[in-house]
């Protein structure tokens, strides 16, 4: 397993996934060690000189006008952590906690935060030895950073709170002891350096972005199967047409569909059976392509943020300054994650419309109603469409932007906040719903293909055949009613597992 070097500047989305999900170890680069120690040395000089610097020699928030003596520095930092540990609701999954820890380490490794190297190494040791703090999902305003959840990240470092170790949730001090890690005593600037940043919203959003890449490919695959099931028209996907409106995502989806459907004997041209298809088929490049472009935009924002300084105050050694700025404010990510949620909601929205076309006998090209040959005795896939509609409707509620809201805090010192962590959490929930809807479409499209007797024996496309085979490996065709959720969950789980891999292997190339 590769050890990932951390220098604050070169972390990738794939690195985040490998550390969060696959347990890759990390270590600081020599350059990062130098920068961290230089930054700490300057903080020590500020403390010795008695200079007035926010969070180092003053209180926090509205208490920024309260001077803190050198003798009170340690108590100030501990009090910050324990007083800010106000998390509520369910707790983040282990993979999100690991991503949070990684992103905070990468931020601190840049050398603009003034943390001691020993303190940073403690957090690295926790990540490598899999001591995972118990972090509640709710309580962050997204400015001044993710204070509440990051405070919970720090608690086990000082022997407080709770942490998971070897599958067991323990008192923080006990988890550290079992892992052979000594808790620390924070000193000047360190508590603030550990909690003032956007790493929680960015961790949740980064993993959602990564998963959404596969989801959008799966959406195109589902579209291809539905087109074949309904003898859809492929003329609207030709490159000459999309060159006239060159949005990148639109062109990519059109190209994906032609690639997936290559050699298919089940598609048609305009005028063969009908002049044009419904929008959910014909306009798939325009609809899903817009979500592709949105995802690429959000990925760019995430890749900037994971290698940015989001601390406050920021230590600028060359200028001999500790500047209290606003890099902790989550607005750049809040807007991006709201956009991501909207883009994913639309993937589910159009997928559900294709599901309706597959099951509705007035729309499905003479296939049996609800894709069962014994309608009445059997309900077939009637209620699958209900479930999809429920998820799509829920997404419409969740897609309301969190970033348009702000509630002033800290006696109006912090009078505009981003709600970016709420935006990221909502995007994650929308992703889960959209993934389920796309999985349902995949299952129903395969059933419709099996029921299309006129096309029996006709070849599927090069890519769609691989998708069909992958689905039929886990779910057989429906001949009579059976417990529906079992089949549904099996196919939904393929969306972020084997489906895209198998299709791309069959194509010999990656989908765009």
């Amino acid at each position: 397993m590769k050890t990932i070097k951390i220098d604050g500047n070169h972390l990738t989305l794939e690195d985040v996934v490998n550390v969060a999900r696959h347990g890759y170890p990390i270590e600081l680069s020599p350059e990062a060690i130098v920068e961290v120690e230089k930054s700490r040395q300057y903080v020590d000089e500020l403390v010795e000189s008695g200079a007035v610097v926010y969070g180092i020699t003053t209180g926090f928030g509205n208490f920024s006008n309260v001077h803190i003596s050198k003798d009170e520095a340690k108590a100030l930092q501990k009090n910050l952590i324990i007083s800010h540990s106000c998390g509520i609701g369910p707790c983040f999954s282990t993979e999100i906690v690991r991503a949070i820890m990684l992103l905070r380490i990468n931020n601190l490794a840049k050398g603009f935060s003034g943390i001691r190297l020993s303190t940073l190494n403690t957090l690295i040791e926790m990540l490598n030895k899999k001591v995972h703090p118990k972090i509640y999902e709710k309580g962050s305003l997204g400015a001044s950073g993710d204070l509440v959840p990051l405070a919970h990240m720090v608690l086990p470092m000082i022997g407080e709170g709770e942490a998971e170790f070897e599958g067991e949730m323990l008192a923080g001090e006990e988890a550290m002891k079992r892992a052979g890690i000594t808790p620390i005593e924070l000193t000047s600037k360190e508590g603030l350096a550990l909690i003032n940043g956007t790493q929680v919203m960015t961790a949740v959003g980064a993993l959602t972005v990564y998963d959404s890449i596969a989801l959008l490919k799966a959406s195109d695959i589902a579209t291809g199967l539905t087109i074949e099931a309904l003898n859809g028209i492929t003329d609207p996907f030709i490159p000459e047409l999309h060159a006239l409106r060159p949005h990148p995502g639109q062109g990519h989806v059109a190209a994906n569909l032609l690639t997936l459907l290559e050699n298919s004997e089940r598609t048609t041209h305009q005028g063969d059976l009908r002049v044009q298809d419904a929008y959910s088929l014909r306009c798939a490049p325009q609809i899903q392509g817009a979500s592709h472009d949105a995802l690429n935009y959000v990925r760019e924002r995430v890749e900037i943020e994971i290698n940015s300084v989001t601390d406050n105050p920021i230590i600028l050694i060359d200028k001999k300054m500790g500047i209290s700025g606003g890099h902790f404010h989550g607005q750049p990510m809040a807007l991006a994650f709201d956009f991501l949620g909207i883009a994913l909601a639309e993937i589910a929205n159009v997928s559900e419309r294709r599901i309706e076309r597959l099951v509705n006998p007035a729309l499905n090209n003479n296939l049996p109603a609800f894709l069962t040959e014994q309608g009445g005795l059997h309900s077939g896939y009637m209620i699958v469409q209900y479930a999809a509609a429920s998820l799509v409707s829920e997404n419409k509620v969740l897609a309301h932007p969190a970033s348009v809201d702000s509630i002033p805090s800290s006696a109006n010192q912090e009078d505009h906040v981003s709600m970016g962590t709420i935006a990221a959490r909502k995007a994650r929930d929308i992703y889960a719903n959209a993934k389920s809807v796309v999985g349902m479409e995949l299952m129903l499209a395969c059933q419709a293909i099996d029921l299309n007797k006129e096309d029996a024996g006709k070849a599927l496309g090069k890519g769609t055949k691989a998708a069909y085979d992958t689905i039929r490996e886990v779910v057989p065709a429906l001949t009579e009613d059976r417990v529906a959720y079992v089949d549904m969950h099996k196919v939904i789980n393929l969306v972020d597992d084997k489906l895209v891999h198998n299709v791309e292997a069959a194509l010999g190339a990656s989908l765009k």
Side-chain angles (χ1 to χ4, degrees), residues 444-463:
L444 269 61
C446 289
Q447 177 73 4
I449 286 168
D450 288 336
L451 291 175
N452 191 334
K453 304 303 183 183
E454 291 186 10
D455 283 354
K458 290 185 179 180
L460 292 168
K462 187 176 180 181

Side-chain angles (χ1 to χ4, degrees), residues 6-12 31 106 109-110 112 303 306-308:
I6 301 297
D7 63 8
N9 301 308
H10 299 99
L11 195 68
T12 67
E31 296 80 8
N106 197 54
K110 292 178 76 74
F112 293 94
E303 289 174 337
I306 63 177
N307 290 298
S308 293

Side-chain angles (χ1 to χ4, degrees), residues 129-177:
K129 291 185 175 180
K130 298 181 172 59
V131 177
H132 304 131
K134 184 177 184 179
I135 303 177
Y136 293 89
E137 289 193 6
K138 299 181 181 181
S140 176
L141 297 177
S144 302
D146 287 311
L147 295 174
V148 169
L150 287 173
H152 282 274
M153 181 195 75
V154 179
L155 283 175
M157 296 178 70
I158 60 175
E160 301 285 351
E162 298 171 82
E164 176 203 10
F165 180 66
E166 294 183 341
E168 186 177 358
M169 190 61 70
L170 305 165
E173 186 175 20
E174 178 63 19
M176 297 287 276
K177 179 180 178 182

